[in-house]
Amino acid sequence: MSANAPAAKPTACLVLADGTVFYGRGFGAEGRTVAELCFNTAMTGYQEVMTDPSYADQIVTFTFPHIGNTGVTPEDEEAAEPHARGIVVKWDPTEPSNWRSTGTLPDWMARTGRIGIGGIDTRRLTRTIRQQGMQHVALEHRADGNFDLDALRAAAREFPGLTGADLAKGVTTAQTYRWQDGRWAWNEGFAAAVEGGPKVVAIDYGAKRNILRSLVSAGCDVTVLPADSTYEDVMAHAPDGVFLSNGPGDPGATGAYAVPMIRELMDKTELPIFGICLGHQMLALALGARTVKMNHGHHGVNHPVKDIDTGKVEITSMNHGFAVDGATLPGNVEETHISLFDGTNCGLKVKDRPIFSVQQHPEASPGPQDSFYLFERFAQSMQG
């Protein structure tokens, strides 16, 4: 059935696997893409969301209607290219009004091959995702407005989904490199790295640039390795600590090669280990816990997380469709953080060892700096 058909001929349509069709106005690149549909509640940061590798094989519905009004700038990109396949918005992007803007969102999306659709009832879409789970969808943008709905329905139904999908190998770095930029500051740009800090090997499962910047700003000397790096690859850099990055896909699938390496690190060394998002899930699996697919996941910048040790509530950024099952954590592992939305696990630490991780994104600063202490804790653990 048609959910909304505007008076003017539509130039884009979004088709759910159950056959529901949403018509709207296309922007960005023309073409067709299939993906898992999630919603994001952030009021800002749409460019960071689009370029976050954790959104690989997903299309993002933004619940906030003003998307595109601040334009785009290369300084806000979390990777060299966007990884989300497309976006769905309530209102069409307007001309940007922002002194940092270097271009418009539709032009940027056209240049990078990403599809957008505007004029959509995003409230209805969000309710559908909350009630029925993240949907498999096909999104098409055609200037002539001629759509083969049967083909789009079939494409949506044939999308394999993210369960069992190892997407980290598709977004990780192809080669080892050193990261040297710190966090951005107004009127100063990105800070320069300070020499002589603890050496960190960061395993890139789809690392956001701002995570690497935060490690540098905490005083770390950062070397980034591919997702499938071995224990020998890591130790060849003589690290003082190992960082496990965020990333997309099913942690169980990525864990097929990541978990044995992490276990070997824990068995053979006393190195501090810190994980974020997918890195948190990889660490949990290596410790013997399990992960589960969530109904609609956590995607946004308004997520309250409680630090169990202190009782402090942090306002955090989250982006994950899988979660660690806190009930499966072994006896030598403590749960450190929980979501105040649904009680799901958001952190762990190994007793008597400098090994810990969190589900939220402490680099994203919605609090604004509620969770930066985690980077400092990691740096301090290496100095100790």
Side-chain angles (χ1 to χ4, degrees):
M1 64 178 175
S2 172
N4 61 329
K9 188 173 184 180
T11 56
C13 69
L14 177 73
V15 180
L16 278 57
D18 67 3
T20 304
V21 180
F22 290 79
Y23 289 104
R25 294 172 291 276
F27 58 92
E30 288 193 58
R32 177 188 299 178
T33 189
V34 293
E36 178 183 84
L37 182 71
C38 66
F39 66 84
N40 187 295
T41 59
M43 296 175 67
T44 61
Y46 51 82
Q47 191 179 5
E48 291 95 322
V49 169
M50 286 294 293
T51 54
D52 181 349
S54 296
Y55 281 99
D57 279 11
Q58 290 184 306
I59 291 171
V60 183
T61 298
F62 285 96
T63 61
F64 187 66
H66 301 284
I67 300 300
N69 59 337
T70 57
V72 295
T73 171
E75 290 181 332
D76 289 348
E77 294 177 354
E78 294 288 0
E81 62 182 1
H83 289 280
R85 293 189 174 184
I87 62 174
V88 181
V89 297
K90 170 67 175 177
W91 294 337
D92 299 340
T94 60
E95 285 298 310
S97 177
N98 186 334
W99 65 272
R100 295 178 64 234
S101 174
T102 62
T104 71
L105 177 63
D107 287 347
W108 178 81
M109 291 181 61
R111 187 171 66 253
T112 57
R114 294 302 186 269
I115 300 171
I117 182 171
I120 297 299
D121 184 352
T122 52
R123 286 180 179 268
R124 177 179 173 182
L125 265 185
T126 300
R127 285 197 302 270
T128 297
I129 295 169
R130 285 187 60 87
Q131 294 167 3
Q132 303 175 25
M134 289 180 279
Q135 303 290 298
H136 295 179
V137 301
L139 172 62
E140 186 166 29
H141 174 199
R142 292 177 60 99
D144 61 13
N146 296 322
F147 303 108
D148 185 339
L149 295 182
D150 289 336
L152 289 169
R153 289 189 186 98
R157 290 166 182 162
E158 292 167 5
F159 179 67
L162 301 192
T163 301
D166 172 26
L167 303 182
K169 281 187 176 178
V171 300
T172 188
T173 179
Q175 59 188 12
T176 298
Y177 65 93
R178 252 189 106 197
W179 182 269
Q180 295 185 287
D181 285 344
R183 293 188 298 172
W184 186 90
W186 180 79
N187 210 30
E188 296 178 5
F190 296 111
V194 177
E195 298 295 327
K199 295 180 180 179
V200 172
V201 163
I203 306 300
D204 176 14
Y205 302 120
K208 293 173 63 178
R209 288 173 172 173
N210 213 37
I211 288 180
L212 302 178
R213 295 186 189 114
S214 295
L215 287 168
V216 168
S217 290
C220 301
D221 181 336
V222 180
T223 299
V224 184
L225 270 62
D228 59 358
S229 296
T230 64
Y231 169 81
E232 289 75 19
D233 294 333
V234 172
M235 297 309 295
H237 294 273
D240 298 308
V242 177
F243 173 75
L244 310 174
S245 87
N246 65 293
D250 188 336
T254 302
Y257 54 86
V259 164
M261 185 277 290
I262 298 169
R263 283 179 176 162
E264 197 166 1
L265 278 173
M266 292 190 293
D267 290 343
K268 294 182 177 180
T269 78
E270 294 294 326
L271 289 174
I273 300 175
F274 175 34
I276 289 176
C277 196
L278 183 61
H280 165 65
Q281 297 162 4
M282 293 293 96
L283 181 59
L285 291 174
L287 290 166
R290 293 197 298 267
T291 57
V292 294
K293 184 77 162 69
M294 303 176 76
N295 178 64
H296 53 272
H298 289 164
H299 304 90
V301 297
N302 56 346
H303 288 254
V305 168
K306 181 179 179 179
D307 184 326
I308 295 173
D309 287 341
T310 66
K312 172 185 171 183
V313 176
E314 305 166 22
I315 301 303
T316 73
S317 173
M318 286 193 175
N319 170 25
H320 60 106
F322 293 81
V324 173
D325 182 351
T328 66
L329 293 173
N332 66 326
V333 178
E334 294 181 4
E335 185 171 58
T336 60
H337 298 74
I338 59 169
S339 166
L340 293 185
F341 278 160
D342 56 16
T344 53
N345 173 268
C346 290
L348 63 83
K349 68 178 178 181
V350 177
K351 297 177 182 178
D352 302 322
R353 292 190 65 178
I355 298 174
F356 65 100
S357 60
V358 291
Q359 183 64 69
Q360 66 268 23
H361 282 262
E363 85 291 341
S365 303
Q369 303 293 329
D370 287 6
S371 302
F372 187 74
Y373 71 92
L374 292 161
F375 293 104
E376 296 171 331
R377 176 183 296 173
F378 182 47
Q380 291 164 3
S381 71
M382 291 181 287
Q383 293 165 353

